[in-house]
Amino acid sequence: MGSNFYFPYGPDANNPVGSKPTAWSVDTKEGHESASSMRIDVPKDTDPLGNYAGAILRIDGEGRDLSGYDALTFWAKGSQTGTIGEIGFGEDFGDNKYIATIRNVDLSTNWVKYIIPIPDPSKLINERGMLRYAVAGINGLGFTFWIDDLKFEKLGNIGQPQPAMANGKDLEEGNFVGNSFNLSGYGLTQTFNLSSGLNQTIIAAPMYFDFESSDIEVVRVSETGIVSIVGPGTAKITAAIAGVKAKGSLTISASGAFPLAPAPQESASNVISVFSDTYTNVPVDFHNGYWQPYQTTLGGETIIDGQNILNYTNFNFVGTQLTEAIDITAMTHYSVDLLMLELPTDLLNIDLLITLRSADGSFQQNRIGSNYQLDSRAPIVYPASSLVANEWQSLKIPIRPTSETGLNKAAINIIIIENIKSSQIKTFYMDNMYFYK
């Protein structure tokens, strides 16, 4: 693989501390029917050098032709039972076209062989990403696991491929001409039946799929999975891998031009902006995360008619995490523009909770919508009766005194929005997210 092959992950969206760079080593006392193996010492979550172990193993130079193989296999064991959060291949810190990953791999204290089928081997004619993994500690504490006999194989007994998009469901969504988004967030998987009789599901990159639009004058899909809404009408997106039709689809009903949010009027000198084309934004790690993997929310940043917008579908909760905590001590309000294309028939089924959270865990909560079961810790700042479908609503939320909420205003790092009390909001748009005085 060359002398420069191991690349630990740095700080990322879900782990701002990053992977411990010294987690990986070669163990000359432990191996599967061999004298050595790869040893990964997963750190405890308070380790100042990194709160998890994760890296890629990459070929130095030209890639390998893997089209003659059907799986990546390896043997592994743990110092105790544990779980590898993610493991797979195809990541090279370059184009990352053919990433394939399995999640939540259970480790035994005995050596066990694991199989990661290749979604479509014919695609891998110049692959550099040989392995990727990410592992967190157990209940905050570290542990050790070993990997040995890591190799691509032609097993010949992997069968019954079943690709899926939209997690195998037939989704229907509204959209607007000029919008674009990536299908990577729409449940792209490939499931195989192994010789053991068990099924193995791989999370597959869009490049493994061949996408098709029923009407390219409405919706077009690139080979990288970018969906572009080019005209009004309805079009159904389907997919296949190596000629096998994927279960599930996405039907887009596209209307005319998107009603862009009005430009905010506050002076830039009085604003700390998180997401707005009007102001300079502070650095953000992500706009769709925080409670992973429990969230179902899809989407995030998109561009409509040249304007950056946040669009969320299949919504339950979502968070925006700032790269560095900000001081809003001098700010008086949090502002965000919200657009709902449809409102529930019963307005009592709108109940959103917006939480401003600091790095030390303190927070201020604010409710939008319902007017029942009032909670003094989360007062309603915008009633459901004021919401109008297909119109942007500018929500101006007061920053309350610390003595009332406990919020540490000097270190805000996460903004969360979530459905509560069986709220029925599933799709909405957000723009112009900022603090101001």
Side-chain angles (χ1 to χ4, degrees):
M1 293 181 64
S3 60
N4 189 22
F5 68 92
Y6 185 80
F7 296 86
Y9 292 119
D12 63 17
N14 297 309
N15 296 278
V17 179
S19 167
K20 187 171 183 176
T22 58
W24 182 92
S25 64
V26 175
D27 192 328
T28 57
K29 296 182 180 180
E30 184 70 67
H32 171 256
E33 299 180 352
S34 66
S36 63
S37 64
M38 294 190 294
R39 173 178 174 142
I40 294 94
D41 293 307
V42 183
K44 59 183 179 180
D45 59 12
T46 57
D47 192 318
L49 295 181
N51 60 2
Y52 76 106
I56 70 170
L57 273 68
R58 184 185 74 184
I59 287 175
D60 188 11
E62 291 297 318
R64 297 289 194 271
D65 185 348
L66 302 177
S67 60
Y69 305 96
D70 58 16
L72 173 66
T73 68
F74 62 93
W75 289 78
K77 63 174 285 188
S79 59
Q80 64 184 89
T81 56
T83 301
I84 302 176
E86 292 189 356
I87 190 165
F89 59 89
E91 186 173 15
D92 60 10
F93 292 159
D95 293 335
N96 298 328
K97 291 181 179 180
Y98 298 111
I99 294 178
T101 301
I102 58 175
R103 288 179 175 165
N104 300 321
V105 176
D106 291 330
L107 289 168
S108 168
T109 54
N110 297 315
W111 286 103
V112 175
K113 185 175 184 177
Y114 298 89
I115 299 171
I116 306 176
I118 301 174
D120 181 3
S122 68
K123 302 272 189 177
L124 302 186
I125 60 175
N126 188 29
E127 184 55 53
R128 299 177 66 209
M130 298 290 100
L131 179 73
R132 64 179 304 271
Y133 76 91
V135 190
I138 302 172
N139 297 323
L141 301 177
F143 72 103
T144 297
F145 72 100
W146 295 264
I147 292 177
D148 202 359
D149 292 338
L150 175 70
K151 57 188 174 183
F152 286 91
E153 290 190 76
K154 177 66 174 179
L155 298 176
N157 55 10
I158 297 174
Q160 302 177 24
Q162 180 54 71
M165 68 175 295
N167 294 315
K169 299 179 180 179
D170 295 312
L171 299 183
E172 298 182 6
E173 294 182 2
N175 220 303
F176 294 90
V177 175
N179 193 7
S180 63
F181 58 92
N182 197 322
L183 285 172
S184 62
Y186 279 76
L188 301 179
T189 62
Q190 172 80 303
T191 299
F192 290 94
N193 184 256
L194 306 181
S195 61
S196 64
L198 299 176
N199 288 332
Q200 180 65 70
T201 297
I202 302 97
I203 300 169
M207 286 289 286
Y208 284 110
F209 289 78
D210 297 312
F211 297 103
E212 183 175 345
S213 169
S214 63
D215 189 343
I216 61 172
E217 299 304 317
V218 177
V219 170
R220 297 177 185 176
V221 188
S222 73
E223 65 174 6
T224 59
I226 302 299
V227 176
S228 298
I229 315 298
V230 296
T234 299
K236 184 177 184 178
I237 301 171
T238 54
I241 293 182
V244 179
K245 183 178 179 181
K247 184 179 180 180
S249 63
L250 175 61
T251 298
I252 301 292
S253 296
S255 56
F258 183 78
L260 296 176
Q265 300 301 309
E266 281 78 24
S267 170
S269 61
N270 294 328
V271 168
I272 300 175
S273 182
V274 177
F275 184 89
S276 177
D277 286 350
T278 299
Y279 306 112
T280 299
N281 300 317
V282 298
V284 170
D285 285 334
F286 57 79
H287 288 290
N288 187 349
Y290 188 57
W291 275 309
Q292 295 177 350
Y294 306 104
Q295 66 188 66
T296 62
T297 307
L298 302 174
E301 294 180 78
T302 187
I303 298 175
I304 305 178
D305 286 347
Q307 183 163 321
N308 292 290
I309 304 286
L310 295 175
N311 176 210
Y312 298 117
T313 62
N314 201 33
F315 173 68
N316 61 345
F317 39 72
V318 73
T320 288
Q321 179 168 291
L322 310 185
T323 302
E324 296 181 359
I326 59 174
D327 186 347
I328 64 165
T329 304
M331 302 292 108
T332 60
H333 290 78
Y334 166 73
S335 182
V336 64
D337 291 342
L338 185 69
L339 172 66
M340 301 179 187
L341 301 182
E342 297 179 358
L343 298 179
T345 303
D346 185 353
L347 294 182
L348 292 179
N349 289 327
I350 303 174
D351 204 350
L352 304 177
L353 186 70
I354 291 183
T355 300
L356 310 178
R357 190 179 178 94
S358 73
D360 63 9
S362 62
F363 57 86
Q364 172 183 317
Q365 294 183 320
N366 319 271
R367 288 172 63 192
I368 299 166
S370 250
N371 57 3
Y372 64 94
Q373 297 182 20
L374 292 178
D375 187 334
S376 60
R377 295 169 300 175
I380 292 175
V381 295
Y382 204 89
S385 58
S386 297
L387 293 168
V388 180
N390 292 304
E391 291 186 13
W392 284 98
Q393 322 285 301
S394 292
L395 314 182
K396 307 294 184 182
I397 300 174
I399 307 299
R400 307 201 299 277
T402 298
S403 59
E404 181 181 327
T405 66
L407 176 67
N408 176 9
K409 301 178 186 179
I412 303 299
N413 70 335
I414 297 176
I415 301 168
I416 308 161
I417 182 168
E418 58 184 300
N419 267 329
I420 62 172
K421 301 185 185 299
S422 301
S423 181
Q424 297 300 304
I425 299 302
K426 293 300 180 185
T427 301
F428 63 93
Y429 296 81
M430 292 175 65
D431 198 359
N432 297 320
M433 186 192 312
Y434 57 92
F435 297 91
Y436 71 95
K437 61 180 178 181

